[in-house]
């Protein structure tokens, strides 16, 4: 291939990526609205190109994951993964319709442009090349639902891939990283607490079990653990915040200034680095609150106390750089950009699917979840070039050249 035709080819891929991104942004896939129409659109596209299509719907059928596989089935392959849901776009600061892509100054604006329909559009743009290549290893294009509300779709994909006769050996998650290599992501456990006390005129306070005051005692223990992570670790200097964090995030309770509050609800979260056991830490905290706070409530008035409910949890993504999958593609991967504290499906693929994972995707997380979200054409260009280089690396011709 001449240099000139390579350039034309790259331009063509970028143009295709931009068109696919416009199509994808037009689907309103805010998590609560479902993603089924978009998944059917992508499945039809990849299916027409000859991919093996697997749709993994949720129990309602309104949401689904998609796995489109290209290449042989009997060798360990590569996963390209992204979520198709987006966060709501109700901010008044939007300068254009968030579900109609708009190109201004080399940037494509729209909800999901960088988080993360941009990556999906790039995968679609290079899919004809995947279909045409004589692949030596399979590539699994995986697109999930409900990542933004707690990585709810990805576990089914991870389990599906892990159950294949030859599961994939490496996953690239296309979350926005400015096309840098990200090798770690924090895990999260989000919890809800309900404090049930007793009520009455506040002038008789000593007779009551004040739900807000006991909630405060429980929250003090949550903050104390947060402080301990900050002071004692464990530490991982590759993260911007180099330790786990734990904090209360919402609270509601009480009915009037002169009534002892009977009820108080609050939420809290633990964001864990890969080197720790967040489940054990959370269990220890709940046991501590049970013995030090709830027991005192029940001793005063039987039946009062604190109950806990898990809202969602997803695991941290650990270090992939010492794995065989990583090594196979190491020479093609972009410069290392550290580890991130935001959630991604990488931890799910790694811990539930046993697939070492990294994050590499177009656009910046700084533009995600904000009005006027955009991805630059330059970033989309870098992404299609990167995916194209992976295809060349996996194609039979390149394999013959390497021997
Ligand atoms: Zn995302």
């Amino acid at each position: 291939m001449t240099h000139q035709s390579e350039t034309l080819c790259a331009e063509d891929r970028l143009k295709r990526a931009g068109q696919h991104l416009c199509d994808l942004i037009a689907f309103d896939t805010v998590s609560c609205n479902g993603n089924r129409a978009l998944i059917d659109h992508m499945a039809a596209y990849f299916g027409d190109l000859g991919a093996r299509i697997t749709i993994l719907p949720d129990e309602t059928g309104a949401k689904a994951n998609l796995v489109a596989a290209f290449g042989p089935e009997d060798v360990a392959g590569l996963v390209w993964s992204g979520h198709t849901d987006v966060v709501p776009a109700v901010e008044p600061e939007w300068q254009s319709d968030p579900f109609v892509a708009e190109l201004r100054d080399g940037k494509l604006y729209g909800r999901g442009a960088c988080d993360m329909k941009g990556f999906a559009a790039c995968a679609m743009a290079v899919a004809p090349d995947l279909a045409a290549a004589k692949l030596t290893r399979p590539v699994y294009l995986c697109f999930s639902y409900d990542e933004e509300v707690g990585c709810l779709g990805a576990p089914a994909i991870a389990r599906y891939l892990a159950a294949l006769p030859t599961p994939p050996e490496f996953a690239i998650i296309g979350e926005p990283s400015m096309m840098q290599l990200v090798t770690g992501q924090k895990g999260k456990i989000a919890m809800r607490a309900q404090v049930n006390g007793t009520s009455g005129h506040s002038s008789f306070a000593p007779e009551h079990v004040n739900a807000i005051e006991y909630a405060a005692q429980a929250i003090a223990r949550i903050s104390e653990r947060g402080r301990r992570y900050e002071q004692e670790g464990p530490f991982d200097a590759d993260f911007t915040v180099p330790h786990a964090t734990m904090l209360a995030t919402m609270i509601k309770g009480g009915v009037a200034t002169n009534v002892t509050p009977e009820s108080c609800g609050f939420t809290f979260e633990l964001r864990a680095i890969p080197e720790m056991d967040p489940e054990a830490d959370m269990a220890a905290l709940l046991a501590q609150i049970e013995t030090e706070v709830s027991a005192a409530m029940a001793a005063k008035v039987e039946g009062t106390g604190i109950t806990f409910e898990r809202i969602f949890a997803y695991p941290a993504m650990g270090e992939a750089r010492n794995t065989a999958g990583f090594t196979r593609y190491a020479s093609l991967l972009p410069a290392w950009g550290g580890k991130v504290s935001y959630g991604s499906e990488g931890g799910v693929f790694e811990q539930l699917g046993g697939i070492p994972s990294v994050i590499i995707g177009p656009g910046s997380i700084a533009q995600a979840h904000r009005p006027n979200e955009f991805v630059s054409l330059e970033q989309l260009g870098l992404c299609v070039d990167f995916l194209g280089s992976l295809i060349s690396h996996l194609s039979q011709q390149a394999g013959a050249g390497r021997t």
Side-chain angles (χ1 to χ4, degrees), residues 83 85 114-116 147-148 174-176 342-344 365 368-369:
H83 61 84
D85 62 318
C114 72
D115 186 16
M116 53 177 293
E147 188 270 353
E148 296 290 4
E175 285 281 352
Y342 62 76
S344 93
I365 196 71
H369 300 202

Side-chain angles (χ1 to χ4, degrees), residues 65-91:
N65 298 311
L66 166 66
V67 179
F70 290 90
E73 294 177 73
D74 56 349
V75 278
L78 174 64
V79 172
W80 297 350
S81 172
H83 61 84
T84 59
D85 62 318
V86 296
V87 295
V90 291
E91 304 94 335

